[in-house]
Amino acid sequence: MAAMTELPNRCVKPPGPRSRALFAQVEQRMRGHSGQVKLFPVAFDHAAGCTMTDVDGNEYLDFSSGIYVTNCGHCHPKIVKAIQEQTARLMNCHDFATPVKQEFLEEFCSVTPPGMNAVQLYSDGTAAVEAGLRAARAITGKFEFVSFWHDFHGKTLGAASLALMSPDKGIRAPGSFLAPRPNCYRCPFRLAPDTCELYCVDFLERVLDEETTGQVAAIVLEPIQGWAGSVFPPEPFLPRLRELCDRRGILLMADEVLTGMGRTGRWFAVDHSGVVPDILIAGKGLGNGYPVTALVVRDACAEALDRISASSSFGGNPVACAAGLATIRVMKEENLLENAARLERIIMARLEALKERSPIVGDVRGKGCLFGIELVKDRGTKEPHPEAGKRVYQRAFENGLAWIPAGHILRMSPPLVMTEKLAERGMDIIEEAIGEG
Ligand SMILES: Cc1ncc(COP(=O)(O)O)c(C=O)c1O
């Protein structure tokens, strides 16, 4: 283990007095913070590359990329410059064409899956997901959706209706159906991955036959579950889904808000499988922190997008396009997909070794710069250990690691620009926090 003296630099025990005071002031006006923020109420002042600094002067090594957003590192100089220049030139002109929009669309379509070049631009992932649902209805003339347990797609009515539990525990929109999906560490059918023959896909056929009215426009999924704890399906899952959709005349909609834009070491997570969806949603990393998201559909369905009005106050505004354009160029220039794959090897080696050593580590997993650690009370029973999840999350944060909790699962999404040395340093902090139990 490396010496614990280098970065991140600590001034006071965090959250420090300024953080606490500021958080309390903000809370007087703004309620409903995420559980993650409540678990560690720090207030941030500035950030650069892979480090963030709080208002007390404490530094944190960023293993969260904001929230899966700043893939090129915080405040990347080229992206900041592009945003500043565009801000001084033109910030909003409704839905009209601009040179920067044209350039951004060309650059974006150079990385989308083959045959997917029909785009609409939005300002958050949820709005793009909602537009995806409208597009699916316009393309097929059908109105039902099937999605999966524990996937997350956003918090407006349509997007939340795709989730098992809507955030306000309200009623889901009519025509929304759910099916279990593969989680080979915790199979919902209690089957074993080497003998199950993907029973979950057979079960999905039953949901389609027995629960829906047969008017299913799309099957919607996260190719890799993010919020559920970086849960990776077995390789044949996506191809089997594609085959099922083709056979039944159902669209496949991949929500890559979290997994897209290089997060998993390819531009999109579906690229690992060779599967091309009919509808794809990109967000988070697309503007490296500046809000820009996209709905993309297959060229063959492009005409349907004319029937779902795209215009909004901010979607595709010139500054968003400048941010997106600069982000993709930086990713290409700095070979960030290759770096993500390199970081995967370094971090997974450490995670595998940690799993060998630590009895509370039940499972570790990762692809590119998307990782998860599942903590259990007993490796045999796999009983989740949320108390350890909270403790380890807070301890590592205290020691200078900004990362993402999910009950008994800890999630890491370092920026794709991270150096090997910083990745090792982050893993030192995690090992120390887990080692203390
Ligand atoms: C897979 C997925 N879809 C949609 C969303 C919603 O995106 P946003 O928060 O930008 O509205 C998220 C957010 O975390 C997400 O992870």
Short mmCIF file of all heavy atoms in Angstrom, two decimals, residues 108-165:
data_model
loop_
_atom_site.label_atom_id
_atom_site.label_comp_id
_atom_site.label_asym_id
_atom_site.label_seq_id
_atom_site.Cartn_x
_atom_site.Cartn_y
_atom_site.Cartn_z
N PHE A 108 -20.80 14.12 -33.07
CA PHE A 108 -21.53 13.14 -32.26
C PHE A 108 -21.87 11.91 -33.10
O PHE A 108 -21.69 10.77 -32.66
CB PHE A 108 -22.80 13.80 -31.70
CG PHE A 108 -23.63 12.88 -30.84
CD1 PHE A 108 -23.05 12.18 -29.78
CD2 PHE A 108 -24.99 12.72 -31.07
CE1 PHE A 108 -23.82 11.33 -28.98
CE2 PHE A 108 -25.76 11.87 -30.28
CZ PHE A 108 -25.17 11.18 -29.23
N CYS A 109 -22.34 12.14 -34.34
CA CYS A 109 -22.72 10.99 -35.18
C CYS A 109 -21.49 10.18 -35.63
O CYS A 109 -21.64 9.07 -36.12
CB CYS A 109 -23.55 11.45 -36.37
SG CYS A 109 -25.20 11.98 -35.85
N SER A 110 -20.29 10.73 -35.44
CA SER A 110 -19.09 9.93 -35.75
C SER A 110 -18.84 8.88 -34.68
O SER A 110 -18.02 7.99 -34.86
CB SER A 110 -17.86 10.84 -35.91
OG SER A 110 -17.39 11.27 -34.65
N VAL A 111 -19.54 8.98 -33.54
CA VAL A 111 -19.31 7.99 -32.47
C VAL A 111 -20.56 7.18 -32.13
O VAL A 111 -20.48 6.22 -31.35
CB VAL A 111 -18.75 8.66 -31.18
CG1 VAL A 111 -17.49 9.45 -31.49
CG2 VAL A 111 -19.77 9.54 -30.47
N THR A 112 -21.72 7.53 -32.68
CA THR A 112 -22.92 6.75 -32.39
C THR A 112 -22.83 5.39 -33.10
O THR A 112 -22.07 5.25 -34.07
CB THR A 112 -24.19 7.50 -32.86
OG1 THR A 112 -24.01 7.90 -34.22
CG2 THR A 112 -24.47 8.71 -32.00
N PRO A 113 -23.59 4.40 -32.64
CA PRO A 113 -23.53 3.08 -33.30
C PRO A 113 -23.90 3.18 -34.78
O PRO A 113 -24.59 4.12 -35.19
CB PRO A 113 -24.57 2.26 -32.51
CG PRO A 113 -24.68 2.93 -31.17
CD PRO A 113 -24.46 4.40 -31.45
N PRO A 114 -23.46 2.19 -35.58
CA PRO A 114 -23.66 2.27 -37.03
C PRO A 114 -25.14 2.42 -37.39
O PRO A 114 -26.00 1.78 -36.79
CB PRO A 114 -23.12 0.92 -37.55
CG PRO A 114 -22.79 0.10 -36.36
CD PRO A 114 -22.75 0.98 -35.17
N GLY A 115 -25.40 3.30 -38.35
CA GLY A 115 -26.78 3.48 -38.84
C GLY A 115 -27.66 4.26 -37.88
O GLY A 115 -28.88 4.28 -38.04
N MET A 116 -27.05 4.92 -36.90
CA MET A 116 -27.85 5.73 -35.98
C MET A 116 -27.39 7.18 -36.09
O MET A 116 -26.42 7.60 -35.46
CB MET A 116 -27.69 5.25 -34.53
CG MET A 116 -28.17 3.83 -34.31
SD MET A 116 -28.37 3.42 -32.57
CE MET A 116 -29.96 4.15 -32.18
N ASN A 117 -28.08 7.94 -36.92
CA ASN A 117 -27.66 9.32 -37.19
C ASN A 117 -28.80 10.33 -37.09
O ASN A 117 -28.65 11.46 -37.53
CB ASN A 117 -27.07 9.41 -38.60
CG ASN A 117 -25.87 8.51 -38.76
OD1 ASN A 117 -24.81 8.79 -38.24
ND2 ASN A 117 -26.06 7.40 -39.46
N ALA A 118 -29.95 9.92 -36.55
CA ALA A 118 -31.07 10.85 -36.43
C ALA A 118 -31.15 11.27 -34.96
O ALA A 118 -31.37 10.44 -34.08
CB ALA A 118 -32.37 10.18 -36.87
N VAL A 119 -30.95 12.57 -34.71
CA VAL A 119 -30.68 13.04 -33.34
C VAL A 119 -31.67 14.13 -32.95
O VAL A 119 -32.07 14.96 -33.78
CB VAL A 119 -29.24 13.62 -33.27
CG1 VAL A 119 -28.91 14.10 -31.85
CG2 VAL A 119 -28.21 12.59 -33.73
N GLN A 120 -32.05 14.14 -31.69
CA GLN A 120 -32.66 15.33 -31.07
C GLN A 120 -31.86 15.65 -29.81
O GLN A 120 -31.40 14.75 -29.12
CB GLN A 120 -34.13 15.06 -30.68
CG GLN A 120 -35.05 14.97 -31.89
CD GLN A 120 -36.52 14.81 -31.50
OE1 GLN A 120 -36.85 14.52 -30.35
NE2 GLN A 120 -37.40 14.99 -32.47
N LEU A 121 -31.73 16.94 -29.52
CA LEU A 121 -30.91 17.35 -28.38
C LEU A 121 -31.78 17.88 -27.24
O LEU A 121 -32.75 18.62 -27.48
CB LEU A 121 -29.92 18.44 -28.81
CG LEU A 121 -28.89 17.98 -29.85
CD1 LEU A 121 -28.08 19.16 -30.35
CD2 LEU A 121 -27.97 16.89 -29.27
N TYR A 122 -31.40 17.50 -26.03
CA TYR A 122 -32.12 17.93 -24.83
C TYR A 122 -31.11 18.40 -23.78
O TYR A 122 -29.90 18.41 -24.02
CB TYR A 122 -33.00 16.77 -24.31
CG TYR A 122 -34.12 16.44 -25.28
CD1 TYR A 122 -33.95 15.49 -26.29
CD2 TYR A 122 -35.32 17.13 -25.23
CE1 TYR A 122 -34.96 15.22 -27.21
CE2 TYR A 122 -36.34 16.87 -26.13
CZ TYR A 122 -36.16 15.92 -27.11
OH TYR A 122 -37.16 15.67 -28.02
N SER A 123 -31.64 18.74 -22.58
CA SER A 123 -30.75 19.29 -21.56
C SER A 123 -30.60 18.41 -20.33
O SER A 123 -29.81 18.71 -19.45
CB SER A 123 -31.26 20.66 -21.10
OG SER A 123 -31.44 21.48 -22.23
N ASP A 124 -31.40 17.36 -20.22
CA ASP A 124 -31.14 16.38 -19.16
C ASP A 124 -31.54 14.99 -19.64
O ASP A 124 -32.27 14.86 -20.64
CB ASP A 124 -31.83 16.75 -17.84
CG ASP A 124 -33.33 16.80 -17.94
OD1 ASP A 124 -33.93 15.78 -18.34
OD2 ASP A 124 -33.91 17.85 -17.61
N GLY A 125 -31.03 14.01 -18.94
CA GLY A 125 -31.25 12.64 -19.38
C GLY A 125 -32.72 12.27 -19.39
O GLY A 125 -33.21 11.60 -20.31
N THR A 126 -33.45 12.74 -18.36
CA THR A 126 -34.85 12.37 -18.25
C THR A 126 -35.66 12.87 -19.44
O THR A 126 -36.49 12.13 -19.99
CB THR A 126 -35.43 12.97 -16.95
OG1 THR A 126 -34.57 12.60 -15.87
CG2 THR A 126 -36.81 12.45 -16.67
N ALA A 127 -35.41 14.10 -19.86
CA ALA A 127 -36.16 14.65 -20.99
C ALA A 127 -35.87 13.84 -22.26
O ALA A 127 -36.76 13.61 -23.08
CB ALA A 127 -35.79 16.12 -21.20
N ALA A 128 -34.62 13.40 -22.42
CA ALA A 128 -34.27 12.61 -23.60
C ALA A 128 -34.92 11.23 -23.53
O ALA A 128 -35.35 10.68 -24.56
CB ALA A 128 -32.75 12.50 -23.72
N VAL A 129 -35.02 10.66 -22.31
CA VAL A 129 -35.71 9.37 -22.17
C VAL A 129 -37.19 9.54 -22.54
O VAL A 129 -37.75 8.73 -23.30
CB VAL A 129 -35.58 8.83 -20.72
CG1 VAL A 129 -36.53 7.66 -20.47
CG2 VAL A 129 -34.14 8.39 -20.43
N GLU A 130 -37.81 10.59 -22.03
CA GLU A 130 -39.22 10.83 -22.35
C GLU A 130 -39.40 10.97 -23.86
O GLU A 130 -40.36 10.45 -24.43
CB GLU A 130 -39.73 12.11 -21.65
CG GLU A 130 -39.82 12.01 -20.14
CD GLU A 130 -41.04 11.23 -19.64
OE1 GLU A 130 -41.89 10.84 -20.47
OE2 GLU A 130 -41.11 10.98 -18.43
N ALA A 131 -38.48 11.68 -24.50
CA ALA A 131 -38.56 11.84 -25.95
C ALA A 131 -38.39 10.48 -26.64
O ALA A 131 -39.03 10.20 -27.65
CB ALA A 131 -37.50 12.83 -26.44
N GLY A 132 -37.55 9.63 -26.06
CA GLY A 132 -37.35 8.28 -26.61
C GLY A 132 -38.65 7.48 -26.57
O GLY A 132 -38.97 6.75 -27.51
N LEU A 133 -39.39 7.64 -25.48
CA LEU A 133 -40.68 6.92 -25.37
C LEU A 133 -41.66 7.45 -26.42
O LEU A 133 -42.36 6.68 -27.08
CB LEU A 133 -41.26 7.09 -23.96
CG LEU A 133 -40.40 6.59 -22.79
CD1 LEU A 133 -41.13 6.78 -21.46
CD2 LEU A 133 -40.03 5.12 -22.97
N ARG A 134 -41.67 8.77 -26.59
CA ARG A 134 -42.56 9.35 -27.61
C ARG A 134 -42.14 8.87 -29.00
O ARG A 134 -42.99 8.56 -29.84
CB ARG A 134 -42.50 10.88 -27.57
CG ARG A 134 -43.12 11.50 -26.32
CD ARG A 134 -43.51 12.97 -26.56
NE ARG A 134 -42.40 13.81 -26.97
CZ ARG A 134 -41.49 14.34 -26.15
NH1 ARG A 134 -41.55 14.09 -24.85
NH2 ARG A 134 -40.52 15.11 -26.61
N ALA A 135 -40.84 8.80 -29.23
CA ALA A 135 -40.35 8.35 -30.54
C ALA A 135 -40.78 6.90 -30.78
O ALA A 135 -41.23 6.55 -31.88
CB ALA A 135 -38.82 8.46 -30.60
N ALA A 136 -40.67 6.06 -29.74
CA ALA A 136 -41.03 4.64 -29.90
C ALA A 136 -42.50 4.52 -30.28
O ALA A 136 -42.88 3.71 -31.13
CB ALA A 136 -40.75 3.87 -28.61
N ARG A 137 -43.33 5.35 -29.66
CA ARG A 137 -44.77 5.30 -29.99
C ARG A 137 -45.00 5.80 -31.41
O ARG A 137 -45.80 5.24 -32.16
CB ARG A 137 -45.56 6.15 -29.00
CG ARG A 137 -45.67 5.45 -27.65
CD ARG A 137 -46.50 6.25 -26.67
NE ARG A 137 -46.75 5.44 -25.49
CZ ARG A 137 -47.12 5.92 -24.31
NH1 ARG A 137 -47.25 7.22 -24.15
NH2 ARG A 137 -47.34 5.12 -23.30
N ALA A 138 -44.28 6.87 -31.80
CA ALA A 138 -44.46 7.42 -33.15
C ALA A 138 -43.99 6.42 -34.20
O ALA A 138 -44.59 6.28 -35.27
CB ALA A 138 -43.68 8.73 -33.29
N ILE A 139 -42.91 5.70 -33.91
CA ILE A 139 -42.36 4.76 -34.91
C ILE A 139 -43.28 3.55 -35.08
O ILE A 139 -43.53 3.10 -36.20
CB ILE A 139 -40.94 4.28 -34.48
CG1 ILE A 139 -39.94 5.44 -34.52
CG2 ILE A 139 -40.45 3.13 -35.35
CD1 ILE A 139 -38.63 5.18 -33.78
N THR A 140 -43.82 3.03 -33.96
CA THR A 140 -44.54 1.75 -34.03
C THR A 140 -46.05 1.91 -34.08
O THR A 140 -46.75 0.97 -34.44
CB THR A 140 -44.21 0.89 -32.80
OG1 THR A 140 -44.63 1.62 -31.62
CG2 THR A 140 -42.73 0.57 -32.71
N GLY A 141 -46.55 3.04 -33.60
CA GLY A 141 -48.01 3.18 -33.46
C GLY A 141 -48.52 2.38 -32.27
O GLY A 141 -49.73 2.28 -32.06
N LYS A 142 -47.62 1.79 -31.50
CA LYS A 142 -48.02 1.03 -30.30
C LYS A 142 -47.75 1.88 -29.05
O LYS A 142 -47.06 2.90 -29.12
CB LYS A 142 -47.26 -0.29 -30.24
CG LYS A 142 -47.53 -1.18 -31.45
CD LYS A 142 -46.84 -2.50 -31.26
CE LYS A 142 -46.53 -3.20 -32.56
NZ LYS A 142 -45.55 -4.26 -32.39
N PHE A 143 -48.25 1.43 -27.91
CA PHE A 143 -48.22 2.35 -26.77
C PHE A 143 -47.67 1.75 -25.47
O PHE A 143 -47.58 2.45 -24.47
CB PHE A 143 -49.63 2.90 -26.51
CG PHE A 143 -50.67 1.82 -26.34
CD1 PHE A 143 -50.93 1.30 -25.09
CD2 PHE A 143 -51.35 1.32 -27.44
CE1 PHE A 143 -51.87 0.29 -24.93
CE2 PHE A 143 -52.30 0.32 -27.27
CZ PHE A 143 -52.56 -0.20 -26.03
N GLU A 144 -47.31 0.48 -25.43
CA GLU A 144 -46.86 -0.12 -24.15
C GLU A 144 -45.33 -0.19 -24.11
O GLU A 144 -44.65 -0.18 -25.14
CB GLU A 144 -47.47 -1.51 -24.00
CG GLU A 144 -48.97 -1.46 -23.82
CD GLU A 144 -49.62 -2.83 -23.78
OE1 GLU A 144 -49.21 -3.71 -24.56
OE2 GLU A 144 -50.53 -3.03 -22.97
N PHE A 145 -44.81 -0.28 -22.87
CA PHE A 145 -43.35 -0.40 -22.67
C PHE A 145 -43.06 -1.50 -21.65
O PHE A 145 -43.78 -1.62 -20.66
CB PHE A 145 -42.76 0.92 -22.17
CG PHE A 145 -42.88 2.02 -23.18
CD1 PHE A 145 -43.89 2.97 -23.08
CD2 PHE A 145 -42.03 2.06 -24.27
CE1 PHE A 145 -44.03 3.96 -24.03
CE2 PHE A 145 -42.17 3.05 -25.24
CZ PHE A 145 -43.17 4.00 -25.12
N VAL A 146 -42.00 -2.23 -21.91
CA VAL A 146 -41.53 -3.20 -20.92
C VAL A 146 -40.12 -2.77 -20.52
O VAL A 146 -39.27 -2.48 -21.39
CB VAL A 146 -41.52 -4.65 -21.48
CG1 VAL A 146 -40.92 -5.60 -20.45
CG2 VAL A 146 -42.93 -5.08 -21.85
N SER A 147 -39.90 -2.70 -19.23
CA SER A 147 -38.58 -2.32 -18.71
C SER A 147 -38.22 -3.29 -17.60
O SER A 147 -38.94 -4.27 -17.38
CB SER A 147 -38.60 -0.87 -18.23
OG SER A 147 -39.70 -0.67 -17.37
N PHE A 148 -37.12 -2.99 -16.88
CA PHE A 148 -36.57 -4.03 -16.00
C PHE A 148 -36.46 -3.59 -14.55
O PHE A 148 -36.17 -2.41 -14.26
CB PHE A 148 -35.20 -4.47 -16.51
CG PHE A 148 -35.27 -5.20 -17.82
CD1 PHE A 148 -35.05 -4.54 -19.01
CD2 PHE A 148 -35.61 -6.54 -17.86
CE1 PHE A 148 -35.14 -5.21 -20.22
CE2 PHE A 148 -35.71 -7.22 -19.05
CZ PHE A 148 -35.47 -6.56 -20.25
N TRP A 149 -36.62 -4.56 -13.68
CA TRP A 149 -36.44 -4.35 -12.24
C TRP A 149 -35.10 -3.63 -12.00
O TRP A 149 -34.06 -4.04 -12.50
CB TRP A 149 -36.34 -5.67 -11.49
CG TRP A 149 -37.60 -6.46 -11.40
CD1 TRP A 149 -38.79 -6.22 -12.03
CD2 TRP A 149 -37.80 -7.66 -10.63
NE1 TRP A 149 -39.70 -7.19 -11.71
CE2 TRP A 149 -39.12 -8.07 -10.85
CE3 TRP A 149 -36.97 -8.41 -9.79
CZ2 TRP A 149 -39.64 -9.22 -10.25
CZ3 TRP A 149 -37.49 -9.55 -9.19
CH2 TRP A 149 -38.81 -9.93 -9.42
N HIS A 150 -35.16 -2.64 -11.17
CA HIS A 150 -33.98 -1.94 -10.66
C HIS A 150 -33.21 -1.11 -11.69
O HIS A 150 -32.16 -0.58 -11.39
CB HIS A 150 -33.01 -2.90 -9.94
CG HIS A 150 -33.69 -3.74 -8.91
ND1 HIS A 150 -34.34 -3.20 -7.83
CD2 HIS A 150 -33.87 -5.08 -8.82
CE1 HIS A 150 -34.89 -4.18 -7.12
NE2 HIS A 150 -34.62 -5.32 -7.69
N ASP A 151 -33.71 -1.01 -12.92
CA ASP A 151 -33.12 -0.03 -13.85
C ASP A 151 -33.61 1.35 -13.41
O ASP A 151 -34.66 1.48 -12.78
CB ASP A 151 -33.58 -0.29 -15.28
CG ASP A 151 -32.77 -1.37 -15.98
OD1 ASP A 151 -32.13 -2.17 -15.27
OD2 ASP A 151 -32.78 -1.42 -17.22
N PHE A 152 -32.88 2.39 -13.79
CA PHE A 152 -33.29 3.76 -13.49
C PHE A 152 -33.28 4.56 -14.79
O PHE A 152 -32.35 4.47 -15.58
CB PHE A 152 -32.32 4.40 -12.48
CG PHE A 152 -32.66 5.84 -12.17
CD1 PHE A 152 -33.77 6.16 -11.40
CD2 PHE A 152 -31.90 6.88 -12.69
CE1 PHE A 152 -34.10 7.50 -11.14
CE2 PHE A 152 -32.21 8.21 -12.43
CZ PHE A 152 -33.32 8.51 -11.64
N HIS A 153 -34.34 5.38 -14.97
CA HIS A 153 -34.42 6.15 -16.21
C HIS A 153 -34.79 7.61 -15.99
O HIS A 153 -34.96 8.34 -16.97
CB HIS A 153 -35.44 5.50 -17.16
CG HIS A 153 -35.11 4.09 -17.53
ND1 HIS A 153 -34.10 3.76 -18.40
CD2 HIS A 153 -35.64 2.91 -17.12
CE1 HIS A 153 -34.02 2.44 -18.54
NE2 HIS A 153 -34.95 1.90 -17.76
N GLY A 154 -34.96 8.04 -14.75
CA GLY A 154 -35.33 9.44 -14.50
C GLY A 154 -36.57 9.53 -13.63
O GLY A 154 -37.15 8.51 -13.25
N LYS A 155 -36.97 10.76 -13.33
CA LYS A 155 -37.99 10.94 -12.30
C LYS A 155 -39.28 11.61 -12.77
O LYS A 155 -40.12 11.95 -11.95
CB LYS A 155 -37.39 11.74 -11.13
CG LYS A 155 -36.25 10.98 -10.45
CD LYS A 155 -35.59 11.75 -9.33
CE LYS A 155 -34.41 10.97 -8.77
NZ LYS A 155 -33.60 11.74 -7.83
N THR A 156 -39.45 11.84 -14.06
CA THR A 156 -40.74 12.33 -14.53
C THR A 156 -41.66 11.13 -14.74
O THR A 156 -41.20 9.98 -14.72
CB THR A 156 -40.60 13.14 -15.83
OG1 THR A 156 -39.89 12.33 -16.77
CG2 THR A 156 -39.84 14.44 -15.59
N LEU A 157 -42.94 11.39 -14.97
CA LEU A 157 -43.91 10.29 -14.92
C LEU A 157 -43.58 9.13 -15.86
O LEU A 157 -43.56 7.97 -15.45
CB LEU A 157 -45.33 10.82 -15.19
CG LEU A 157 -46.42 9.73 -15.13
CD1 LEU A 157 -46.52 9.13 -13.72
CD2 LEU A 157 -47.77 10.29 -15.54
N GLY A 158 -43.30 9.45 -17.14
CA GLY A 158 -43.02 8.37 -18.09
C GLY A 158 -41.76 7.62 -17.72
O GLY A 158 -41.75 6.38 -17.67
N ALA A 159 -40.70 8.36 -17.43
CA ALA A 159 -39.41 7.72 -17.11
C ALA A 159 -39.50 6.94 -15.80
O ALA A 159 -39.02 5.81 -15.70
CB ALA A 159 -38.31 8.79 -17.02
N ALA A 160 -40.16 7.54 -14.81
CA ALA A 160 -40.26 6.86 -13.51
C ALA A 160 -41.15 5.63 -13.61
O ALA A 160 -40.97 4.66 -12.87
CB ALA A 160 -40.81 7.82 -12.46
N SER A 161 -42.08 5.64 -14.56
CA SER A 161 -42.98 4.49 -14.72
C SER A 161 -42.23 3.27 -15.27
O SER A 161 -42.75 2.16 -15.25
CB SER A 161 -44.13 4.84 -15.65
OG SER A 161 -44.92 5.85 -15.06
N LEU A 162 -41.02 3.50 -15.77
CA LEU A 162 -40.21 2.38 -16.27
C LEU A 162 -39.49 1.68 -15.12
O LEU A 162 -38.86 0.66 -15.31
CB LEU A 162 -39.16 2.88 -17.27
CG LEU A 162 -39.68 3.61 -18.52
CD1 LEU A 162 -38.52 4.23 -19.29
CD2 LEU A 162 -40.44 2.63 -19.43
N ALA A 163 -39.57 2.27 -13.91
CA ALA A 163 -38.80 1.73 -12.79
C ALA A 163 -39.71 0.97 -11.84
O ALA A 163 -40.91 1.24 -11.75
CB ALA A 163 -38.11 2.86 -12.04
N LEU A 164 -39.10 0.02 -11.13
CA LEU A 164 -39.86 -0.82 -10.19
C LEU A 164 -40.54 0.04 -9.14
O LEU A 164 -41.69 -0.16 -8.81
CB LEU A 164 -38.88 -1.79 -9.53
CG LEU A 164 -39.44 -2.91 -8.66
CD1 LEU A 164 -40.43 -3.76 -9.43
CD2 LEU A 164 -38.30 -3.77 -8.14
N MET A 165 -39.81 1.01 -8.63
CA MET A 165 -40.35 1.86 -7.56
C MET A 165 -40.18 3.30 -8.00
O MET A 165 -39.06 3.78 -8.11
CB MET A 165 -39.56 1.60 -6.28
CG MET A 165 -40.12 2.31 -5.07
SD MET A 165 -41.63 1.57 -4.48
CE MET A 165 -40.94 0.28 -3.45
#
